[in-house]
Amino acid sequence: MSSTTEPPKDGAEVDFASLKVGQTIGRYEILSILGQGGFGITYRARDIQLGRDVAIKEYLPSALAVRQDGVTVLPRSTKLAEDFSWGRQRFVDEGRTLASLHRAPAIVHVFDFLEANGTAYIVMELLSGETMEDRLRREGKLDAEAIERILWPLLDGLEQVHSTGFLHRDIKPANILLDAEGKPTLIDFGASRAAMAGRTTAMTAIFTPGYAASEQMTSARQGPWTDIYSFGGVLYWLVTGKKPVEAVGRIREDTQPAAADIGDAKMYGAEFLKAIDWALKPNEQDRPQTVSAFRSALARGRSADALSMVSVIAAPQAAPVNAVSNVVFDPAWLKRVEQYRADHLGPIAAVLVRNTSRPYLPSSSERKAVGILRRPFSSIRAGELPLNTGHYSTKLHICPPR
């Protein structure tokens, strides 16, 4: 579970690198320390004007800078001053980019970014919950329903991040936060941190084995395919219960069992598992190059799984045109559709799904839907089933739309 570091009590060790409880940064009052590392410090703070708690990330790379007089951050030397200033600008650029993505799903919301005390700060929403890593350590792997609730919002959000020319560069289970309802948020972007490590020898790049793509440890070109590799590593653990093997070693000798070989094809779908293996190709040119391509491959896999749970009973040839259709939907699958739609439509989703799936007098569009379901699977496209819902007209998509 996420936790908050409380102010030190009498006699406790005091961290002289951080700002103290009660100090202010603009309109934000420091309440406690949430975490700190080699690149900076994250605080819990209070927005005095709006009366809400926020998380504030401070740019303070310990290899390049120190805090003087308990407030001001200064470069450790004139030699390091240029690298410090360059990194601060990258940090501000990261904050500006994330602030522009306030409508992106499953991406931590940035409220503000500012420069003060000789350094820079990013002000974000304060999140609670557990990391995906915590959940995986407890449960081993997730079922298909849980994965779908996590997967599509994360892909949609990541695609919007990439549309700005920005990469996350540190996607892993520890950087995906799940709230009480299991909804995900991608946190702790590592782009500016990675850029700093690539510029100066004073800072060492820190990669998470199994999730960092091989090009992150070399001079090879990075792009959306780099984040896709990391995302594939997360999915690999979700469906196999095993951590992925470190990428560079796989180029020399690939000892990682394929998800398609050890994953439960009946639960997840064989094509879905193959899509994960595609994302985890060691060589970057062999992977999906965009989130859109990766999403399509995953969606095809989930379509196959969903359609296998739909039973279509052919009506007698002599049946009149207005006979009641004999389309029967698996209740477990309908529940999954309802839960997914509820995330987007609210309570009306249950009404739509129930009305869509119950016996009905077939209209022309409904007869078309039955005809589609009778066709060979390979010719059916995701989202191709227009079904009448009574007072509402919608499409019951077999898989979430793009």
Side-chain angles (χ1 to χ4, degrees), residues 116-344:
N117 302 333
T119 189
Y121 301 87
I122 297 176
V123 183
M124 305 168 288
E125 62 178 323
L126 184 66
L127 299 167
S128 61
E130 67 175 347
T131 67
M132 185 179 288
E133 183 175 48
D134 291 336
R135 183 170 177 183
L136 284 169
R137 290 187 185 282
R138 186 178 68 250
E139 299 183 13
K141 57 184 179 181
L142 302 186
D143 61 26
E145 180 180 334
I147 289 175
E148 287 197 3
R149 289 179 64 81
I150 293 167
L151 173 62
W152 309 116
L154 284 173
L155 284 176
D156 290 347
L158 186 61
E159 185 173 39
Q160 291 192 40
V161 170
H162 290 172
S163 72
T164 68
F166 201 66
L167 301 176
H168 187 286
R169 286 196 169 98
D170 196 20
I171 298 174
K172 57 186 178 182
N175 283 342
I176 299 173
L177 198 65
L178 304 175
D179 67 13
E181 297 178 351
K183 295 180 180 179
T185 301
L186 188 59
I187 62 173
D188 202 14
F189 281 66
S192 59
R193 184 167 63 247
M196 283 295 297
R199 175 183 170 89
T200 174
T201 57
M203 292 188 67
T204 303
I206 300 175
F207 302 115
T208 306
Y211 303 101
S214 58
E215 61 267 24
Q216 291 181 264
M217 290 162 264
T218 66
S219 58
R221 187 172 60 105
Q222 297 184 37
W225 52 89
T226 305
D227 280 344
I228 288 169
Y229 184 94
S230 303
F231 203 110
V234 172
L235 289 174
Y236 186 87
W237 192 0
L238 290 180
V239 301
T240 68
K242 300 178 184 295
K243 293 183 180 180
V245 176
E246 186 267 329
V248 172
R250 293 183 60 214
I251 293 178
R252 296 191 299 269
E253 181 183 2
D254 194 354
T255 60
Q256 178 170 288
D261 292 337
I262 64 174
D264 187 342
K266 186 174 295 186
M267 175 181 291
Y268 304 113
E271 295 302 316
F272 185 84
L273 297 175
K274 289 178 183 178
I276 295 173
D277 291 329
W278 184 29
L280 284 171
K281 292 292 185 182
N283 295 315
E284 64 271 16
Q285 67 270 18
D286 296 333
R287 294 178 221 138
Q289 298 295 290
T290 65
V291 169
S292 178
F294 185 38
R295 183 200 290 109
S296 295
L298 291 167
R300 283 195 298 271
R302 295 310 299 142
S303 296
D305 178 51
L307 283 172
S308 70
M309 291 187 286
V310 177
S311 172
V312 182
I313 305 172
Q317 291 295 318
V321 173
N322 65 345
V324 174
S325 168
N326 288 319
V327 179
V328 180
F329 294 93
D330 180 82
W333 177 67
L334 286 175
K335 186 64 176 176
R336 286 162 55 185
V337 173
E338 179 182 323
Q339 289 175 338
Y340 177 79
R341 287 295 173 210
D343 291 343
H344 299 269

Side-chain angles (χ1 to χ4, degrees), residues 19 25 28 39-43 55-61 65 67 71-74 84-96 112-124 192:
L19 294 172
I25 309 164
Y28 305 100
F39 190 71
I41 303 172
T42 303
Y43 304 94
I56 298 182
K57 183 185 292 187
E58 179 182 42
Y59 172 69
L60 205 171
R67 192 183 304 283
V71 178
T72 308
V73 175
L74 296 173
F84 173 78
S85 297
W86 186 89
R88 181 177 58 196
Q89 186 57 51
R90 303 288 83 70
F91 183 83
V92 171
D93 290 345
E94 178 177 314
R96 183 178 289 109
D112 195 5
F113 55 92
L114 61 154
E115 296 183 67
N117 302 333
T119 189
Y121 301 87
I122 297 176
V123 183
M124 305 168 288
S192 59

Side-chain angles (χ1 to χ4, degrees), residues 357-375:
S357 59
R358 69 190 180 189
Y360 48 84
L361 295 177
S363 64
S364 59
S365 64
E366 292 160 346
R367 289 195 300 274
K368 177 184 176 183
V370 175
I372 289 170
L373 286 169
R374 288 173 177 160
R375 284 176 7 212

